Amino acid sequence: DQPALSRAGFQKDLEGCQASANGGRVRPPRKIKDVKPIYPANLRESSTAGKVLLKATIAVDGTVREVEVVKSANPDLDNAAMEAVRQWLFDGTLLNCAPVEVTMNVNIDFAIQ
C-alpha cells in the first residue's frame, strides 16, 4: 500500500523533530513515485504540441488529491497530464513537525519527437 509507505516516511522524519519557536519550519515534499504523461495516440498525426499548467494538492498522506487545469493546451493533452499527476506519490510535507496539505503548480510540455 503506497500511502502506508508515505506514512512510514513521516514517522521517520517526526522522530526527534522539534517545532521551531519562531514557526515556519518546513520540510518540503519529496516525490517518491513519478509517472510520465502518455502522449495521446489520436494527436500523433497532427503533431499537436503544447504546455499544460496544472494546480495539484498533495494530501497529508502524500497522494495527489486534487488536480485542476490552470492553462489548457488541448483537452486530450490536459487529460493525459492530469492522469499522470494523479498517480504521483510524495513523502508528504511537514510544517513545524506536523504533516500538512500543500498545493503545487505543475508544468507539463508535450511535443512530438
Side-chain angles (χ1 to χ4, degrees), residues 3 27 36 48 55 61 67 74 95 108:
R27 201 236 34 219
K36 301 291 183 202
T48 301
K55 183 169 92 173
D61 67 0
V67 180
N74 169 291
L95 175 61
I108 298 184

Side-chain angles (χ1 to χ4, degrees), residues 2-105:
Q2 290 175 333
L5 289 173
S6 181
R7 283 189 288 279
F10 266 135
Q11 291 305 317
K12 182 179 177 189
D13 284 344
L14 289 173
E15 291 173 11
C17 186
Q18 293 182 4
S20 167
N22 298 330
R25 191 168 162 179
V26 176
R27 201 236 34 219
R30 294 177 292 234
K31 192 187 301 182
I32 56 177
K33 180 184 176 189
D34 185 37
V35 175
K36 301 291 183 202
I38 298 170
Y39 187 90
N42 64 317
L43 297 179
R44 289 198 184 276
E45 282 190 36
S46 66
S47 297
T48 301
K51 295 182 182 191
V52 177
L53 176 60
L54 304 173
K55 183 169 92 173
T57 301
I58 302 171
V60 171
D61 67 0
T63 59
V64 176
R65 190 171 52 80
E66 294 177 19
V67 180
E68 68 180 70
V69 176
V70 174
K71 183 179 177 210
S72 175
N74 169 291
D76 291 330
L77 295 178
D78 299 346
N79 288 332
M82 288 190 302
E83 184 175 326
V85 171
R86 283 187 184 110
Q87 296 176 66
W88 291 359
L89 185 65
F90 295 83
D91 65 355
T93 304
L94 297 175
L95 175 61
N96 283 328
C97 304
V100 294
E101 282 191 354
V102 67
T103 301
M104 68 178 171
N105 293 321

